[in-house]
């Protein structure tokens, strides 16, 4: 997925032209150019050039309702286009529409890049209340967004720049509203499974699903070697209107409180989560596991599931650590990294850190928040790859049990979740 546009040419070496295009054609052009990482003016230039090179005009395009459309073209191209349109006895509006349609026809939407090995992201921290569930949901939603629709994304925003900006606004004003830091980009369009691996069922409840009943089947049963059916039958789809059937959830069950006890009697228990989820992997590009705040066997199984597999590139799967900009998160971080490092040594496996996401950040908390954020930024390995503000939209989305990115798709938090998703990609 292209993460940014090519550099726009300055208008000084091009000439501005104004014509008309129907709204639907302009929207298709806007999306397709973004999918190919091109400026709109470059796509129009290529389309006009190709149209002028044809032996004759192409099929007529419906231009009803066309309204003003301006772009910048290389000097002389518009004059050549005008002459060609006159020779072909078509209006400039019709010629431009044919040129744009020709470019669309010869530049189809790129195929979505699907990983050869399903990517497994383990969202974790030993401390509760840091917002692991919100990050799990927001990341999954951002990865599943439609590739034929543009979404506002914060791009190439250095976190140290964000830190300095926030320190310069101690009154809590949000400096992140600068539109220069936001681009409208196509969604990744990936097939995503969210796994609620926490017996408290927060992810399940926040997305409006029902926790699984204690006397039925569950992920715990499958991990303990006592399945009561096909795990696929427990999976539910999340907000198909927004995510087009690409975002699914495996709900939690309160029986996960007993998981560590049940795992103690299982052979090769570190691989229990992998054995349970393996039959589902072919259906998904990414599986994201929302882990409980635990140091027990269940966390061992989650970390092992996120290990680097044979033939998998570094950084494709692994642990995404969620923290807050306050001191107790640092203590929990030490416990988690010690546990993962022990697993690496004991089992001789590679478990990659995908990065740190600093959640619930609020510069109005003053020095504690800004100095703690700087502490996370200074770690460098793993590096901070996401900064999500403590704003009302997430709380409101939880209250109404809707995904954040469909409840408030243009909110600062949604924009930040998309930036996090592109860092993970």
């Amino acid at each position: 997925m292209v993460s940014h546009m090519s550099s726009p040419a300055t208008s000084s070496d091009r000439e501005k032209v104004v014509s008309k295009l129907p709204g639907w054609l302009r929207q298709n052009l806007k999306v397709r150019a973004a999918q190919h990482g091109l400026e709109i003016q470059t796509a129009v230039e290529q389309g006009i050039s190709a149209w002028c090179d044809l032996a004759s005009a192409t099929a007529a395009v419906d231009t009803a309702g066309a309204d003003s459309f301006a772009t910048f073209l290389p000097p002389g191209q518009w004059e050549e286009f005008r002459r060609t349109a006159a020779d072909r006895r078509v209006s400039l509006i019709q010629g431009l529409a044919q040129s744009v349609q020709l470019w669309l026809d010869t530049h189809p939407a790129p195929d979505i890049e699907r990983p050869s090995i399903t990517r497994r992201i383990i969202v974790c921290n030993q401390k509760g209340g840091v917002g692991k569930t919100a990050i799990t949901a927001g990341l999954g939603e951002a990865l599943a967004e439609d590739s034929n629709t543009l979404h506002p994304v914060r791009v190439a925003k250095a976190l140290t720049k964000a830190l300095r900006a926030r320190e310069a606004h101690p009154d809590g004003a949000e400096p992140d509203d600068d539109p220069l830091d936001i681009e409208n980009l196509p969604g990744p369009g990936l097939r995503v499974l969210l796994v609620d691996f926490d017996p408290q069922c927060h992810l399940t409840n926040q997305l409006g699903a029902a926790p699984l009943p204690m006397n039925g089947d569950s992920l715990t049963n499958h991990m303990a070697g006592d399945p009561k059916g096909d795990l696929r039958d427990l999976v539910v789809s999340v907000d198909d209107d927004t995510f087009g059937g690409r975002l699914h959830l495996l709900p939690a069950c309160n029986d996960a409180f007993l998981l560590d006890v049940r795992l103690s009697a299982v052979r090769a228990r570190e691989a229990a989560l992998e054995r349970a989820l393996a039959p589902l992997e072919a259906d998904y590009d990414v599986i994201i596991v929302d882990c409980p705040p635990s140091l027990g066997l269940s966390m061992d199984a989650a970390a092992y599931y996120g290990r680097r597999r044979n033939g998998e590139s570094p950084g494709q799967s692994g642990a995404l650590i969620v923290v807050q900009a306050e001191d107790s998160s640092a203590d929990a971080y030490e416990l988690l990294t010690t546990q993962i490092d022990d697993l690496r040594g004991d089992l001789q496996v590679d478990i990659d850190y995908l990065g740190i996401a600093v959640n619930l950040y609020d510069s109005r908390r003053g020095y504690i928040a800004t100095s703690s954020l700087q502490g996370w930024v200074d770690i460098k390995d793993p590096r901070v790859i996401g900064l999500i503000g403590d704003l009302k939209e997430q709380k409101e989305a939880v209250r109404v049990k809707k995904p954040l990115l469909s409840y408030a798709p243009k909110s600062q938090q949604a924009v930040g979740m998309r930036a996090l998703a592109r860092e993970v990609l």
Side-chain angles (χ1 to χ4, degrees), residues 17-356:
V17 298
V18 179
S19 184
K20 289 185 176 182
L21 268 186
W24 62 269
L25 190 56
R26 179 187 316 193
Q27 182 62 22
N28 290 348
L29 171 65
K30 190 176 178 183
V31 172
R32 192 71 53 79
Q35 289 173 330
H36 286 275
L38 293 174
E39 289 290 318
I40 290 175
Q41 63 186 21
T42 303
V44 175
E45 175 192 341
Q46 293 173 354
I48 289 176
S49 178
W51 186 78
C52 290
D53 287 343
L54 292 175
S56 64
T58 52
V61 175
D62 181 3
T63 58
D67 53 16
S68 183
F69 173 78
T71 189
F72 290 90
L73 297 175
Q77 187 181 40
W78 189 247
E79 279 307 311
E80 181 192 356
F81 168 71
R82 290 171 68 100
R83 287 195 298 272
T84 305
D87 291 343
R88 293 175 180 170
R89 295 184 173 83
V90 298
S91 68
L92 294 179
I93 296 171
Q94 179 61 217
L96 181 60
Q98 290 183 19
S99 300
V100 169
Q101 188 60 56
L102 176 62
W103 186 86
L104 291 169
D105 293 342
T106 53
H107 293 78
D111 291 334
I112 291 168
E113 294 181 31
R114 304 205 180 277
S116 55
I117 299 173
T118 299
R119 299 180 63 178
R120 298 147 338 274
I121 300 172
I122 311 306
V123 182
C124 48
N125 193 333
Q126 279 15 80
K127 182 177 183 296
V130 296
K132 290 187 299 293
T133 298
I135 295 294
T136 300
L139 174 60
E141 292 160 26
L143 290 172
E145 282 191 312
D146 185 10
S147 62
N148 291 309
T149 305
L150 301 184
H151 313 273
V153 184
R154 186 169 314 292
V155 289
K157 176 90 174 184
L159 286 161
T160 48
K161 177 184 171 187
L163 175 63
R164 285 195 301 271
R166 282 183 163 86
E167 286 176 333
H169 291 77
D171 58 352
E174 279 291 338
D176 280 354
D177 290 329
D178 183 354
L180 296 178
D181 290 322
I182 293 182
E183 278 189 16
N184 289 311
L185 298 176
L190 299 177
R191 301 166 302 182
V192 179
L193 175 65
L194 304 174
V195 177
D196 192 347
F197 195 44
D198 188 338
Q200 298 172 92
C201 307
H202 289 320
L203 181 62
T204 302
N205 289 323
Q206 285 188 19
L207 292 176
L212 299 170
M214 285 285 283
N215 59 353
D217 202 10
S218 67
L219 177 58
T220 300
N221 288 339
H222 285 255
M223 291 179 65
D226 185 27
K228 297 183 180 179
D230 188 337
L231 194 63
R232 190 177 279 102
D233 293 338
L234 303 180
V235 171
V236 297
S237 191
V238 177
D239 194 349
D240 286 351
D241 287 346
T242 300
F243 303 104
R246 292 177 298 274
L247 183 63
H248 292 172
L249 167 72
L250 178 57
C253 176
N254 291 133
D255 67 355
F257 280 116
L258 308 172
L259 180 58
D260 279 10
V261 174
R262 294 179 70 179
L263 281 181
S264 62
V266 173
R267 290 184 61 190
R269 55 184 177 249
E270 291 87 359
L273 181 60
E274 179 156 309
R275 286 195 299 269
L277 293 178
L280 303 184
E281 289 184 6
D283 297 336
Y284 299 101
D285 302 308
V286 185
I287 295 178
I288 309 176
V289 181
D290 185 23
C291 294
S294 151
L295 284 167
L297 299 178
S298 55
M299 188 59 224
D300 282 353
Y304 183 82
Y305 184 55
R307 80 193 185 288
R308 192 191 314 158
R309 293 179 179 172
N310 290 337
E312 191 172 23
S313 300
Q316 295 294 294
S317 298
L320 175 64
I321 303 174
V322 180
V323 300
Q324 276 182 268
E326 42 75 42
D327 296 338
S328 60
S329 276
D331 300 332
Y333 170 81
E334 294 294 333
L335 292 171
L336 172 67
T337 53
T338 298
Q339 180 178 9
I340 289 179
D341 290 344
D342 287 347
L343 262 181
R344 283 169 160 170
D346 293 346
L347 301 178
Q348 294 297 296
V349 293
D350 291 314
I351 302 172
D352 295 329
Y353 292 113
L354 302 181
I356 297 171

Side-chain angles (χ1 to χ4, degrees), residues 142 145 152-153 404-405 408-419:
E145 282 191 312
V153 184
L404 170 68
L405 271 66
K410 296 183 179 179
S411 66
Q412 288 293 325
Q413 287 163 315
V415 168
M417 292 295 186
R418 295 187 189 104

